Amino acid sequence: MKIIPKSLSKLIESFEKLPGIGPKTAGRLAFYLLHVPQNELNMFSDNIKNLKIATKFCSLCGNIGETDPCSVCEDVSRDHSFVCVVEQPLDVVSIEKTGAYKGVYHVLYGAINPLQNIGPDEIRIAELMKRIFGGTIHEILLATNPTMEGEATAMYIKREIQNAIRQLADKSQNSIRITRLAHGLPVGGDIEYADEVTLSRAFEGRREY
Amino acid sequence: MKIIPKSLSKLIESFEKLPGIGPKTAGRLAFYLLHVPQNELNMFSDNIKNLKIATKFCSLCGNIGETDPCSVCEDVSRDHSFVCVVEQPLDVVSIEKTGAYKGVYHVLYGAINPLQNIGPDEIRIAELMKRIFGGTIHEILLATNPTMEGEATAMYIKREIQNAIRQLADKSQNSIRITRLAHGLPVGGDIEYADEVTLSRAFEGRREY
């Protein structure tokens, strides 16, 4: 006997496809929505349907925005010679929240991950190289995640840029600075609970005080 | 400057309203859906919109089904004199999956919780009492959760039934058996990691072997 109504099990299936949501959570979410008024369900439903209609992919940085080019790339008050390379659009949101960065972005949409068959050609590295050697860029900040994949990606991009500079007859591009976000103790963190790698990076990166 | 497009932030808001989903997870889910094909988004969207249209509330047990009465209450092969009282429709699903129970259900939609202003009148206890004294019920299995609220609810229902039986002139109802799910070690569990209350309940409830 089928105990779960079809419309409910279909919604559970939809929820299960989302990342980090297993069968138990999917069931809990679907059953929760049964108690939500129909007009809120309609709103939720419309928000999903219209998600991609009102969003545009920025042809310059690859970020998601309402316009193309996006609001960051269009902003003349920002430093367009300073490019921050991130893995995902959500990273842009996190960095923008700090308000500390006034340059522009380049979204890779992933990191090099041989185990998942993601090589340098699968992410937007070629577009980055075009941008670097097509314009006047002075600094590339590699803000990929401090994971194995993110580090490998940062390393790969650094070498690509250096190789390209070496091959260029025009040495004017030589002045590109390649940087990486600082590693160290998180603010509010506890030295006691810091892992060894982070702690040793914090020692290496110690600063005058 | 608005860094997140409006359609995206609206969907993030919708996700944030779901139980157990915070701002970070909501953002992650919404950004994930940007990479999902539009036809899958439409399907997800329709599943939400149609959720309540194709589901019915069973007027007998209060469970969610495709028909009223639901498939369990309609099934003549089940024991209609044996009622299992649960807090939520999801509990019915879990119990049905075991295949061990052949009676019918009564869904309370919550448990007594004074801190959240949920008293006996807010959950479907009155409907349960009507069912008990309107029909021929031989056993009431109180399968509320083994939490403070669930225990309080089970205790309250037990007393209500006993009081009602005492007041009835007709003593034929005296034979209602009130039971509760067994407490003890979970199968596959480890005595070493069992909490004290569970372990002492396992001692109390020990059985001939």
Side-chain angles (χ1 to χ4, degrees), chain B residues 101-115:
Chain B
Y101 180 65
K102 291 291 166 223
V104 292
Y105 293 93
H106 187 88
V107 186
L108 292 175
Y109 283 95
I112 296 172
N113 189 340
L115 289 177

Side-chain angles (χ1 to χ4, degrees), chain B residues 79-85 101 103-106 128 131-132 135-143 157 161 165 173-182:
Chain B
D79 183 356
H80 287 254
S81 70
F82 188 1
V83 177
C84 175
V85 180
Y101 180 65
V104 292
Y105 293 93
H106 187 88
L128 175 65
R131 257 181 106 179
I132 294 174
T136 46
I137 285 171
H138 294 113
E139 182 167 347
I140 297 284
L141 170 54
L142 299 170
I157 293 173
I161 296 173
I165 288 173
Q173 292 280 4
N174 236 332
S175 58
I176 292 180
R177 197 178 159 205
I178 303 171
T179 53
R180 183 117 176 86
L181 285 181

Side-chain angles (χ1 to χ4, degrees), chain B residues 18 68 122 169 195:
Chain B
L18 298 176
D68 176 22
E122 268 73 53
D195 64 293

Side-chain angles (χ1 to χ4, degrees), chain A residues 1-8 10-11 14-15 17-21 24-25 27-38 40-56 63-66 71-72 75 78 88-90 92-94 96-97 105 109, chain B residues 1-8 10-11 14-15 17-21 24-25 27-38 40-56 63-66 71-72 75 78 88-90 92-94 96-97 105 109:
Chain A
M1 189 179 6
K2 206 163 44 53
I3 189 72
I4 303 182
K6 206 177 167 193
S7 66
L8 200 56
K10 269 160 95 181
L11 182 57
S14 292
F15 273 126
K17 286 182 192 155
L18 297 176
I21 294 195
K24 283 265 170 183
T25 313
R28 202 165 41 86
L29 293 176
F31 271 93
Y32 168 83
L33 287 179
L34 279 173
H35 304 290
V36 166
Q38 186 62 40
E40 273 200 47
L41 288 187
N42 289 345
M43 217 162 66
F44 188 7
S45 163
D46 292 343
N47 288 346
I48 291 178
K49 198 169 264 165
N50 301 332
L51 173 65
K52 295 214 282 193
I53 293 162
T55 51
K56 285 201 172 101
N63 193 15
I64 302 295
E66 280 180 350
S71 53
V72 175
D75 189 349
R78 297 185 77 120
Q88 298 293 352
L90 258 179
V92 175
V93 177
S94 297
E96 280 300 297
K97 271 186 194 154
Y105 294 93
Y109 285 94
Chain B
M1 189 182 3
K2 207 163 45 52
I3 188 71
I4 304 182
K6 208 177 167 193
S7 65
L8 201 55
K10 270 161 94 181
L11 181 58
S14 292
F15 273 127
K17 286 183 191 155
L18 298 176
I21 295 195
K24 284 266 170 184
T25 313
R28 202 165 42 86
L29 293 177
F31 272 92
Y32 169 82
L33 287 179
L34 279 174
H35 304 290
V36 167
Q38 186 62 39
E40 272 199 46
L41 288 186
N42 289 346
M43 216 163 65
F44 188 7
S45 163
D46 291 343
N47 288 346
I48 290 178
K49 198 169 263 166
N50 301 332
L51 173 66
K52 296 215 282 195
I53 293 162
T55 51
K56 283 200 173 106
N63 194 15
I64 303 294
E66 281 180 351
S71 54
V72 174
D75 189 350
R78 296 185 80 118
Q88 298 293 352
L90 258 179
V92 174
V93 177
S94 298
E96 280 301 297
K97 271 186 192 154
Y105 293 93
Y109 283 95

Side-chain angles (χ1 to χ4, degrees), chain A residues 66-84:
Chain A
E66 280 180 350
T67 51
D68 176 23
C70 71
S71 53
V72 175
C73 289
E74 257 185 344
D75 189 349
V76 285
S77 71
R78 297 185 77 120
D79 182 357
H80 287 254
S81 70
F82 187 1
V83 177
C84 175

